[in-house]
Amino acid sequence: MKKGLRLWALLSIIFISTLLITNTILYGVILYQDAKTVQKREEKLLLSVGKQLALEPAIKQTLLKNTFSDKTESYTVNVAKIHQMDFIVLMNMDGIRLTHPDESKIGGHFEGGDEVEALHGKSHVSISEGTLGRSLRGFVPVYENGKQIGVVALGIKLDSLTELIENSRQQYTIALLISIGTGLLVASIVAYYLKKQLLNLEPKEISRLLTERNAMLDETKDVVVVIDTEDTIKLANIAATEMYHLLSGNNDSLTGKKIDQLLVDRGQVDFNRSVQQLYRQNGQDYLFSVAPIIVHKKEVGSILFLRNATESLFVTDQLANTTAYASALQSQSHESMNKLHVIYGLVDLENYEELKIYLNDILQPEKEFSHRLSVLVRNPLIAGFFIGEREKFAERKTQLLIDISPEIPKTATQEQTTNLINVYRYIHHALLQRPLPAEILMDIEYHNEQLKTRYQIQLQEHEIANLEAVFAENYFLQLVEDCQGKFQLTTTQETITISLETKYLVE
C-alpha cells in the first residue's frame, strides 16, 4: 500500500494553510482600509490647514493686492513643511498663481482644471495632474467682508501619499509576521496534540481499525454494547440491536438510549465486578461480563458482553447426563446377564435356599438405584440428570438418596424438561458450594400433573443463612417462575427443608 502524508504533517499543512489564507485575506483588507484611512486623513488635513490659512490676514492682504509677496511665499512654504505638504498655492479669482514652491511658476495660470469649483466658492478635494505631477489637492475659498477674493490650494503628491501609506503598512507587516510565526508554532503544537489523542495512528490505520472493529462486532453472535459513564449506549452490534428490537417491538436505533432499555432487570448483575455473572431475561439465560474502558488513565465508559448460555449449558449437561444414563443401562444389561447365569447355576444345582436368598438380595431397591431410575423416570433426560447429579454429590462424600413415587412420566414439551432441570441444577449447585452432611434426602412425588420435590439437609446455622440468600436471588426466582412453580424454604435449628412444587404436563 502506497503511503500518503503522515497525520502530523497533514494536520500541520491544514492548520498552516488555513492560517495563511485567513491572515492573507485579513492583511489585504487591513491594507486596503489603511490606504483609505491615510487618504481620508490627508484630505481632512488639507482642508483644515486651508481653512486656517484662509483666515490669515497676510493671506487676505496678498490676495487683495493681487501681487507676489516674498513674506507670504516664505510663510506658505514653512507651513507646507510643517504639515509635510508638497505645495501651498494662492490664486486670485482668475486662477493666477500668487505663490508657488517654484517661483518660475508664479504669475501663471493654475493647472489641473479642478480649481473651478473652488473659484465658485466651494471647498473640495480632488486628484489631478499639475506642474508638480499627479497629486491630491484641496481647495478652500478665501473671503473678505463676505466677498470671495481668491483660493488657497494645498496638495501632496501621490508619490508622497504612497510613501505615507507604505510607512503605515510596515507596522501591519511586522504584526503579520509575528502572528504567522505564532500561528505556525500553535498549529504544530495542536497537530502534535491531536496526533497523540489519536494514539499515534495514521488516517489509513484508523480507517482499517474501524472497519475491522465493525466487522468483528457485527459478526459476533454475542451481544456487545459500549456505554459511557452515564449508562448511555454509545455503540451496539447487530446482535444487541436485534435483541432490543425483539424486546421493544420497534425498529429504532439502540444508540443513545439507556442500558436499561436493553437489560430490563439490571439489578441481577453488578457492573463493578469484572467476572462472569448469570443474567436471566425473557426465559433465556445469559453470561454477563463487563470491562471498563480506560483512556489516558481515565475511565470513560464500559463494554458489556452478553452471551446466551441457556443452550450451551443445557447441551453440556445433557451430554454428561446422557453418558451417565447410557453407562447405567449398559451396566444394567451386563449385570442382568451375570445374574441370570447365577440363577441358572443355582437352579441347575437345585440349591433353592441359596437362590431365594440371592433373589431377595438383588431386589432390594436401595442397591438398585440406577436400574430402578430407568423404570421410575420415563424421561431419559431427567433420569440421566439424576444419575449425573448423584455422582457429583458422591465426589463430595455425600450420598444423594432419591426417592421417587410413583413413576414420573414423560413431559409434554422439551421446554418443560429444560426448565425443570435448570431449577434442579441451581439447587444442587448451591448445595455443592457448602459443607454437606453424609446424606441428603430427596423425595419426588408426581400427582395430577404436579411434581413435588422435597430436600432434607442437615447444615450449620450460618450456612443455612447463606443458603437463604442464594435462593432469594432474582435469577432463581425467575427459574421457578418459568416452571410455573412454588418454592419454600423451612428451617428448624440445623435442619433445612427445601420444598418445590412445579407444573408437570405429560404427553
Side-chain angles (χ1 to χ4, degrees):
M1 181 183 293
K2 185 178 179 180
K3 292 186 176 180
L5 285 175
R6 298 187 66 83
L7 181 59
W8 184 86
L10 180 62
L11 291 174
S12 297
I13 291 174
I14 292 174
F15 288 136
I16 292 172
S17 300
T18 303
L19 177 66
L20 290 177
I21 292 173
T22 54
N23 277 0
T24 300
I25 295 175
L26 179 63
Y27 182 64
V29 172
I30 289 175
L31 292 185
Y32 176 77
Q33 294 295 332
D34 182 65
K36 291 291 184 181
T37 302
V38 171
Q39 182 174 334
K40 291 291 183 182
R41 186 178 70 241
E42 292 300 317
E43 290 176 357
K44 185 177 181 180
L45 177 64
L46 291 175
L47 293 178
S48 298
V49 174
K51 291 177 180 179
Q52 181 178 358
L53 290 176
L55 299 176
E56 292 289 337
I59 299 298
K60 291 181 178 182
Q61 190 66 31
T62 301
L63 291 174
L64 287 173
K65 291 181 179 181
N66 196 21
T67 59
F68 171 75
S69 171
D70 289 334
K71 184 177 180 182
T72 302
E73 174 69 19
S74 177
Y75 177 69
T76 56
V77 169
N78 289 332
V79 171
K81 289 181 179 179
I82 293 172
H83 294 284
Q84 296 181 348
M85 298 179 186
D86 290 311
F87 64 87
I88 297 177
V89 175
L90 299 180
M91 69 182 80
N92 60 19
M93 294 302 294
D94 295 325
I96 303 301
R97 306 186 192 96
L98 300 180
T99 63
H100 195 278
D102 185 358
E103 293 185 1
S104 64
K105 304 295 182 181
I106 297 174
H109 197 281
F110 192 84
E111 298 180 3
D114 51 345
E115 74 282 0
V116 177
E117 191 174 351
L119 292 173
H120 289 84
K122 185 176 181 180
S123 299
H124 71 99
V125 177
S126 65
I127 296 177
S128 184
E129 187 79 23
T131 58
L132 298 178
R134 194 167 180 80
S135 59
L136 175 67
R137 303 193 279 192
F139 299 91
V140 178
V142 181
Y143 294 90
E144 178 65 24
N145 297 325
K147 180 181 179 182
Q148 184 176 356
I149 59 176
V151 174
V152 178
L154 310 91
I156 177 171
K157 294 188 292 184
L158 291 186
D159 292 340
S160 301
L161 181 63
T162 302
E163 184 177 352
L164 290 175
I165 294 174
E166 290 296 332
N167 293 334
S168 177
R169 286 179 176 178
Q170 289 181 358
Q171 299 177 359
Y172 293 109
T173 303
I174 294 174
L176 175 66
L177 294 176
I178 293 175
S179 64
I180 290 177
T182 305
L184 292 177
L185 178 61
V186 173
S188 300
I189 295 174
V190 172
Y192 179 77
Y193 172 77
L194 292 178
K195 172 75 171 176
K196 288 298 182 181
Q197 289 295 310
L198 295 174
L199 304 178
N200 289 322
L201 294 175
E202 298 299 322
K204 292 182 179 179
E205 294 174 336
I206 296 173
S207 176
R208 187 182 72 250
L209 287 176
L210 182 62
T211 303
E212 292 172 350
R213 184 208 65 174
N214 291 338
M216 287 189 296
L217 290 178
D218 292 341
E219 294 301 322
T220 301
K221 303 304 179 184
D222 299 333
V223 173
V224 181
V225 176
V226 175
I227 61 174
D228 59 13
T229 54
E230 302 296 329
D231 290 343
T232 301
I233 297 175
K234 294 300 182 181
L235 179 66
N237 67 343
I238 293 178
T241 303
E242 291 177 349
M243 179 178 174
Y244 169 71
H245 290 168
L246 291 174
L247 184 65
S248 62
N250 53 46
N251 295 323
D252 55 345
S253 175
L254 183 57
T255 305
K257 292 182 170 54
K258 294 295 184 180
I259 190 62
D260 295 339
Q261 297 289 322
L262 185 66
L263 302 181
V264 180
D265 188 10
R266 62 174 295 178
Q268 296 184 35
V269 293
D270 186 356
F271 278 50
N272 297 320
R273 294 175 58 194
S274 298
V275 296
Q276 284 193 339
Q277 305 171 59
L278 282 173
Y279 177 77
R280 187 172 181 82
Q281 182 169 294
N282 292 342
Q284 295 289 331
D285 293 326
Y286 298 94
L287 288 177
F288 172 86
S289 58
V290 58
I293 300 176
I294 308 297
V295 178
H296 298 299
K297 299 181 180 180
K298 181 180 179 181
E299 183 174 343
V300 298
S302 302
I303 181 168
L304 313 180
F305 300 91
L306 209 61
R307 182 159 56 93
N308 193 326
T310 301
E311 183 177 353
S312 59
L313 288 175
F314 181 75
V315 170
T316 302
D317 215 31
Q318 178 180 335
L319 179 61
N321 295 335
T322 302
T323 302
Y325 185 68
S327 299
L329 293 178
Q330 182 181 7
S331 176
Q332 178 185 7
S333 177
H334 180 71
E335 291 184 8
S336 296
M337 292 298 297
N338 289 339
K339 291 172 182 177
L340 287 175
H341 283 296
V342 173
I343 293 172
Y344 179 79
L346 292 175
V347 172
D348 187 55
L349 294 174
E350 297 182 355
N351 193 346
Y352 300 111
E353 290 296 328
E354 291 291 333
L355 177 60
K356 183 178 180 180
I357 295 172
Y358 181 71
L359 290 175
N360 289 333
D361 185 59
I362 64 174
L363 291 176
Q364 290 182 13
E366 292 78 10
K367 297 183 179 181
E368 297 298 325
F369 172 78
S370 298
H371 307 292
R372 289 188 305 107
L373 201 61
S374 61
V375 177
L376 294 175
V377 182
R378 296 300 180 87
N379 189 324
L381 295 179
I382 297 178
F385 173 77
F386 285 152
I387 294 174
E389 294 299 290
R390 201 163 184 266
E391 291 180 355
K392 291 180 182 179
F393 281 92
E395 292 176 359
R396 296 288 308 277
K397 308 300 181 183
T398 298
Q399 186 177 6
L400 180 62
L401 302 177
I402 304 177
D403 186 13
I404 302 173
S405 63
E407 67 180 27
I408 301 176
K410 290 184 178 181
T411 54
T413 62
Q414 178 70 31
E415 181 182 0
Q416 185 174 272
T417 301
T418 303
N419 292 337
L420 181 61
I421 290 177
N422 284 338
V423 176
Y424 283 142
R425 183 191 295 114
Y426 187 95
I427 295 174
H428 295 172
H429 178 76
L431 295 176
L432 289 169
Q433 304 305 310
R434 288 157 179 77
L436 298 175
E439 291 183 353
I440 294 178
L441 301 179
M442 179 181 181
D443 295 330
I444 303 176
E445 179 183 352
Y446 171 76
H447 182 68
N448 292 335
E449 295 189 337
Q450 292 288 331
L451 197 65
K452 298 180 180 179
T453 306
R454 185 177 64 178
Y455 296 84
Q456 287 188 341
I457 314 165
Q458 297 288 334
L459 287 177
Q460 298 179 4
E461 187 173 351
H462 70 279
E463 293 294 343
I464 293 176
N466 292 337
L467 203 57
E468 289 176 345
V470 171
F471 290 134
E473 290 187 2
N474 292 331
Y475 178 75
F476 176 68
L477 298 178
Q478 183 64 47
L479 290 177
V480 176
E481 183 178 342
D482 291 341
C483 290
Q484 302 179 32
K486 299 178 181 178
F487 178 81
Q488 185 178 4
L489 198 65
T490 306
T491 58
T492 56
Q493 294 182 351
E494 293 185 355
T495 301
I496 182 171
T497 302
I498 301 173
S499 299
L500 176 68
E501 183 176 350
T502 61
K503 196 76 173 177
Y504 194 87
L505 302 177
V506 298
E507 294 180 343

